Amino acid sequence: MPKFVSMEEAAKLIPSGATVMVGGFMGCGSAHRFLTTLSQSGVKDLTVICNDGSKPGGPLGEEYYGVAKLIHNRQVKRLITSHVGLNPEVAQQNMQEGTLEVTLVPQGSLAEMIRAGGAGLGGILTPTGVGTVVEESPLCLGKQTINGRDYLLMAPLHADFAIIAGYKIDREGNVWYKGTTINHNLVMATAADTVIAEAEQVVEVGTIAPEDVRTAGVFVDYVVEGGLY
Amino acid sequence: MEKSQIKGFIAARVAKELKDGDVVNLGIGVPTLVPNYLPQDVHVTLQAEIGTVGSASAGDNPDPIHVVDAGGAPSGVRPGGCFIDSATSFTLIRGGHVDATVLGGLEVDEEGSLANWLIPGKKMPGMGGAMDLLVGAKTVIVAMEHTAGGNPKILKKCRLPYTAVKCVDKIITEMAVIEVTDKGLVLTEYNPEFTVEQIQAATEATLTISPNLKSMV
């Protein structure tokens, strides 16, 4: 059964230097209010695993959206991601200032490497990235030929914390996602020692039909209530 | 051809490649224009990396917090469409369940290798889902202008970092339609505004002329 805690209590769980998965795709499906709290917590030197670097300027006029809040506040020392082109602060901190290490991973490989990390697998073999700079990535462990086709062996990804977000989360931690917000949240919820889930609505057990639960509550350790966004 | 007409011309030709019922992933830029040129009786299912199957416009009641496209802009889903998670989205992409992907290109070479994600020293955008799409889609179509600043983009060998190697099936530009084959690049269609000689002169790689060469229009 997950613990229901305040934003501040949950933020205190995450120490500087932790590896943190952050769900969301260009901020869609990120734990908006918890990331705001975390960005004010003083935690730093995080290794963040996220689909992208998000962007400044959210759809409701937010100054920074999704994981961009942590990047802007210089709390991230390493970013493992598939795309950073819409957040100029990543290039600024990486190329100009040299304070942010960026490891780029193809998006499908990233999802599957997280899935492997959550599923207890030792890595994935994917044809994606063969013949490209991905072969030189620190997360690429080698190359294998199977049935005549070349594959890269990519490392599994596991984190100290996963920060996910759902539209409805019930008292057992079962999560229902709205629209495209599910994205990486589903695999990330399986791939961290501690999973913190932000709910737009906390609902009673039974509100979400068992067959509509996407992330089973047994994966979730802490729930914070963010309110409708 | 007027500069302003080029993108629409390319998109209109790409649209002829798509068949009714195809599952299609469109990259940014010219590819996003392709649905505007589909015939009335051709219905394709647009797939987006973020996890939409059956992408549609955001409509009258956009929900920019919960339903967006691969660029983060408000989007929608058509009746009968659905939302899947990222691992499943790339199962679709990498697993060969996407019939066609249309992407822009910085450079394509005669082996069908594509560079479209990185200009070293300039920007560091990231490859996003492009590398997965190129290895996984059944048909890969590069839709781009034939040259950049007068310089060929269809080369003997890409100079920029590859997005994927030996992956492109067809190149469609404002000048020509070129198929990638085991024996190199084959010119199959030409825009009658240009001669075959002009097309070859704008192409670094050597083009073989198809015996069935025809007009693009």
Side-chain angles (χ1 to χ4, degrees):
Chain A
M1 199 79 109
K3 291 193 174 75
F4 285 73
V5 297
S6 70
M7 295 278 175
E8 290 72 21
E9 286 172 305
K12 278 185 195 151
L13 296 167
I14 302 178
S16 291
T19 297
V20 182
M21 290 180 179
V22 178
F25 190 120
M26 290 310 302
C28 176
S30 289
H32 298 294
R33 292 187 171 105
F34 182 66
L35 288 172
T36 297
T37 303
L38 195 63
S39 72
Q40 295 160 353
S41 72
V43 67
K44 57 186 192 331
D45 295 331
L46 299 174
T47 292
V48 167
I49 301 169
C50 188
N51 181 69
D52 49 66
S54 193
K55 58 186 175 181
L60 302 184
E62 302 91 336
E63 196 174 2
Y64 294 91
Y65 199 49
V67 76
K69 293 172 188 171
L70 304 180
I71 294 166
H72 175 70
N73 282 347
R74 296 173 181 274
Q75 295 168 284
V76 185
K77 70 166 185 194
R78 185 183 182 198
L79 186 60
I80 299 172
T81 187
S82 73
H83 199 273
V84 294
L86 297 181
N87 185 347
E89 291 194 354
V90 175
Q92 172 72 22
Q93 292 179 29
N94 175 264
M95 298 173 86
Q96 267 82 48
E97 298 167 27
T99 52
L100 174 60
E101 183 188 345
V102 177
T103 304
L104 290 170
V105 182
Q107 201 167 102
S109 301
L110 183 69
E112 206 63 21
M113 289 155 74
I114 296 166
R115 200 189 70 81
L121 304 176
I124 64 160
L125 287 167
T126 176
T128 304
V130 169
T132 75
V133 295
V134 176
E135 292 191 5
E136 296 152 28
S137 167
L139 297 172
C140 179
L141 307 178
K143 202 170 176 178
Q144 289 190 28
T145 305
I146 297 170
N147 294 333
R149 192 173 189 191
D150 291 338
Y151 295 85
L152 301 185
L153 174 59
M154 303 297 290
L157 290 173
H158 200 275
D160 301 317
F161 295 88
I163 299 168
I164 68 163
Y167 190 72
K168 290 179 184 172
I169 303 182
D170 73 19
R171 294 279 168 196
E172 295 247 5
N174 294 306
V175 185
W176 182 85
Y177 301 94
K178 188 173 188 181
T180 52
T181 64
I182 186 169
N183 55 70
H184 290 272
N185 283 304
L186 191 74
V187 285
M188 287 181 174
T190 69
D193 292 337
T194 302
V195 176
I196 300 168
E198 175 173 333
E200 288 197 42
Q201 298 176 66
V202 172
V203 297
E204 295 309 316
V205 165
T207 307
I208 309 169
E211 48 273 79
D212 291 341
V213 171
R214 301 302 302 275
T215 289
V218 292
F219 288 111
V220 177
D221 299 293
Y222 294 90
V223 176
V224 292
E225 187 166 6
L228 292 176
Y229 197 81
Chain B
M1 179 171 292
E2 296 285 331
K3 188 86 179 162
S4 61
Q5 297 175 314
I6 289 177
K7 287 179 177 170
F9 180 82
I10 297 170
R13 179 58 192 81
V14 171
K16 293 182 185 172
E17 298 291 316
L18 304 181
K19 296 183 292 295
D20 191 46
D22 276 355
V23 177
V24 179
N25 184 296
L26 302 175
I28 55 171
V30 174
T32 59
L33 303 174
V34 171
N36 302 338
Y37 296 93
L38 286 173
Q40 292 284 334
D41 57 345
V42 175
H43 300 279
V44 301
T45 293
L46 298 176
Q47 188 268 345
E49 288 93 323
I50 192 170
T52 309
V53 181
S55 295
S57 70
D60 297 333
N61 294 299
D63 181 355
I65 302 301
H66 302 103
V67 183
V68 303
D69 64 18
S75 182
V77 65
R78 67 165 170 77
C82 67
F83 301 116
I84 54 181
D85 75 287
S86 293
T88 310
S89 182
F90 281 89
T91 292
L92 224 145
I93 288 170
R94 198 191 315 95
H97 311 284
V98 170
D99 295 298
T101 186
V102 185
L103 295 100
L106 295 170
E107 296 175 347
V108 192
D109 67 26
E110 59 190 12
E111 288 193 314
S113 299
L114 174 68
N116 75 347
W117 76 284
L118 182 64
I119 301 175
K122 278 203 167 174
K123 276 171 95 179
M124 187 189 56
M127 65 290 279
M131 289 185 174
D132 299 282
L133 276 163
L134 289 166
V135 303
K138 285 184 199 161
T139 303
V140 173
I141 299 166
V142 173
M144 64 176 192
E145 293 189 38
H146 204 96
T147 57
N151 297 313
K153 296 170 72 177
I154 304 169
L155 308 175
K156 290 184 189 302
K157 196 163 179 58
C158 290
R159 298 173 187 113
L160 293 170
Y162 289 128
T163 313
V165 297
K166 298 179 185 173
C167 57
V168 177
D169 296 292
K170 202 169 270 194
I171 307 162
I172 297 178
T173 76
E174 78 282 15
M175 296 182 94
V177 178
I178 295 166
E179 285 180 19
V180 182
T181 74
D182 294 343
K183 297 186 178 98
L185 302 181
V186 177
L187 179 67
T188 58
E189 294 179 34
Y190 67 100
N191 179 343
E193 288 189 26
F194 304 96
T195 65
V196 170
E197 289 72 26
Q198 284 174 318
I199 295 168
Q200 177 63 76
T203 309
E204 184 191 271
T206 304
L207 299 174
T208 304
I209 314 299
S210 167
N212 304 315
L213 180 69
K214 61 179 184 179
S215 167
M216 281 174 85
V217 292

